[in-house]
Amino acid sequence: MEKWWLLALLLLSVIPIEAGFGVGGGVGVNVGPVAGGGGAGVWIGGGINGNGPNAPSGSSASGLDRAYTALQAWKSAISEDPSKILDTWVGSDVCSYKGVFCADSQYEVSAASGLVVAGIDLNHANLKGTLVKELSFLTEMSLLHLNSNRFSGTIPDTFKDLTSLQELDLSIYLDLRFNSFSGPIPEDLFNRRLDAIFLNNNQFAGGLPESLGNSQASVINLANNKFSGNFPASFGFMSNKLKEILFLNNQLTGCIPEGVGLFTDIQVFDVSFNSLMGHLPDTISCLQDIEVLNLGHNKLSGVLPEMVCSLKSLVNLTVAYNFFSGFSQECAKLFYRNVGFDFSLNCIPGRNMQRPQPECSLIPGGGLNCLRIPGSKPLVCGSL
């Protein structure tokens, strides 16, 4: 498996001790002691919405020379820049480039060592282009933020050289939203210590990695891609920190696994607009903190379990455009609880806005074996 995701992309550091954010001038962060002592590093540079201060003289020639080479190579690979951000990427003073932030080197103790590029933030810049291998020259970069652009192609395998990101013991997240990245995501991604993973609105394809169950993230958004196949066997055995997971608008098939019941603290679970089949697992009754449960636009069938409609924290339950054949009185009470409940376009007798009978005569996946744990009574939280 390729290792170009070794430190992923777009890692946002949540710095302990003190953090100060400038208005319009980028980001300023102090990671040293408040009063005196060494180790303090102040990021300076030009944010997208304003020009930061110029880099002081005496900066590290070798580090910033390599940064200049990297950024100019990247600039040449960007074909559209409607906001003219890269017009500021001129000359050797890379710390004055919009979206580029500099800080004192983490590894040089000499006061004369100067600055290195510590972060790049080009969120919402609407740039079109590709990533270049020379970005791996920025070995002390701890932030690369590129969501809502139009980057495409693959991520260079030289990104494995961004080793300083691996050494930071900080909260980080991966944000690749709203680009045109394609291909599969490797097993290694979900083994990383990431607090949030945003891969939505790209062209990623292939199966979900088995390592999905190793993720420690609290939010995972894989929506609006081309992921296919079944949920991996590890699904459900994820961090108990998980609050939101979104798979909507992909090409997933098979069953919703019983492991979903292990997400006891989850608040948003959205698998809509896929091709999931079979009956719902009883373990969904374990999702006592779930607020948004969206199962719409699949091929699910059976009777909508009373245990699902009894979930106490529900704000919205969507099962529309499936093949459910009924629901209990508890589900009918959802309207009185002010819970949004959309069950349209199913196969529920006596209810309005259901599928035509011919569509309900042959249930998709009717013989699908969902490998449910056998038992004489439904598997619920107490027996999970």
Side-chain angles (χ1 to χ4, degrees):
M1 180 67 68
E2 293 183 7
K3 297 296 184 182
W4 43 260
W5 289 79
L6 186 58
L7 293 173
L9 198 61
L10 319 173
L11 297 173
L12 176 62
S13 300
V14 178
I15 308 293
I17 302 176
E18 276 199 316
F21 295 87
V23 178
V27 180
V29 178
N30 187 332
V31 295
V34 174
V42 179
W43 291 18
I44 59 177
I48 291 179
N49 297 319
N51 290 319
N54 291 329
S57 60
S59 59
S60 170
S62 60
L64 293 185
D65 283 350
R66 287 172 61 80
Y68 173 77
T69 299
L71 295 174
Q72 291 300 314
W74 192 19
K75 180 180 178 180
S76 68
I78 295 175
S79 58
E80 293 184 17
D81 175 21
S83 300
K84 306 297 183 185
I85 291 167
L86 302 187
D87 285 0
T88 68
W89 288 26
V90 177
S92 60
D93 184 8
V94 297
C95 297
S96 68
Y97 291 6
K98 281 189 176 181
V100 177
F101 305 96
C102 294
D104 291 329
S105 172
Q106 303 175 64
Y107 303 109
E108 298 292 338
V109 296
S110 169
S113 63
L115 302 172
V116 294
V117 170
I120 297 175
D121 186 347
L122 294 173
N123 271 358
H124 302 281
N126 198 23
L127 300 172
K128 181 179 180 181
T130 60
L131 304 179
V132 297
K133 65 181 187 301
E134 287 84 358
L135 287 172
S136 63
F137 294 171
L138 307 177
T139 54
E140 294 196 49
M141 180 171 59
S142 61
L143 181 153
L144 180 54
H145 215 180
L146 302 177
N147 87 59
S148 300
N149 284 285
R150 291 175 287 155
F151 291 110
S152 59
T154 58
I155 300 174
D157 58 7
T158 56
F159 270 51
K160 66 181 182 293
D161 297 328
L162 298 175
T163 54
S164 65
L165 295 175
Q166 196 174 35
E167 296 172 14
L168 293 174
D169 186 18
L170 304 171
S171 297
I172 51 182
Y173 71 81
L174 165 67
D175 190 343
L176 285 177
R177 292 173 288 180
F178 297 99
N179 283 287
S180 299
F181 291 113
S182 58
I185 54 176
E187 290 280 342
D188 199 45
L189 170 63
F190 295 106
N191 294 328
R192 298 291 162 190
R193 295 182 61 182
L194 300 170
D195 290 314
I197 299 173
F198 299 105
L199 302 183
N200 52 290
N201 296 82
N202 278 283
Q203 299 293 319
F204 289 114
L208 299 173
E210 189 61 41
S211 62
L212 178 64
N214 298 335
S215 177
Q216 300 180 41
S218 61
V219 178
I220 298 176
N221 191 342
L222 305 181
N224 301 317
N225 280 286
K226 297 180 180 179
F227 294 115
S228 59
N230 297 347
F231 286 102
S234 65
F235 183 74
F237 295 94
M238 302 166 74
S239 169
N240 56 11
K241 299 187 302 181
L242 187 66
K243 298 296 185 183
E244 299 182 17
I245 189 164
L246 297 93
F247 297 102
L248 66 107
N249 196 25
N250 279 282
Q251 300 166 13
L252 299 175
T253 56
C255 307
I256 297 176
E258 286 188 307
V260 69
L262 296 174
F263 299 145
T264 52
D265 294 329
I266 198 168
Q267 296 171 348
V268 177
F269 182 67
D270 191 334
V271 293
S272 60
F273 291 91
N274 281 283
S275 296
L276 300 172
M277 301 182 184
H279 295 189
L280 296 181
D282 294 331
T283 52
I284 286 186
S285 65
C286 302
L287 308 182
Q288 292 301 311
D289 289 337
I290 194 75
E291 297 177 4
V292 177
L293 180 58
N294 193 341
L295 311 174
H297 293 265
N298 280 285
K299 301 176 182 179
L300 299 167
S301 57
V303 174
L304 187 62
E306 178 177 336
M307 295 175 290
V308 173
C309 297
S310 299
L311 291 168
K312 61 183 181 181
S313 299
L314 267 180
V315 174
N316 187 283
L317 172 62
T318 301
V319 297
Y321 288 86
N322 278 287
F323 290 85
F324 288 110
S325 56
F327 58 74
S328 68
Q329 281 299 112
E330 195 64 36
C331 296
K333 295 177 183 178
L334 289 174
F335 299 107
Y336 302 104
R337 291 171 47 192
N338 291 321
V339 174
F341 180 34
D342 186 356
F343 59 89
S344 60
L345 276 294
N346 277 280
C347 298
I348 303 174
R351 298 287 179 174
N352 295 328
M353 298 180 63
Q354 299 299 295
R355 291 181 181 274
Q357 182 55 39
E359 292 185 16
C360 298
S361 60
L362 183 61
I363 303 298
L368 185 64
N369 182 359
C370 288
L371 297 176
R372 304 299 188 209
I373 298 175
S376 58
K377 57 182 180 180
L379 181 67
V380 294
C381 294
S383 59
L384 183 63

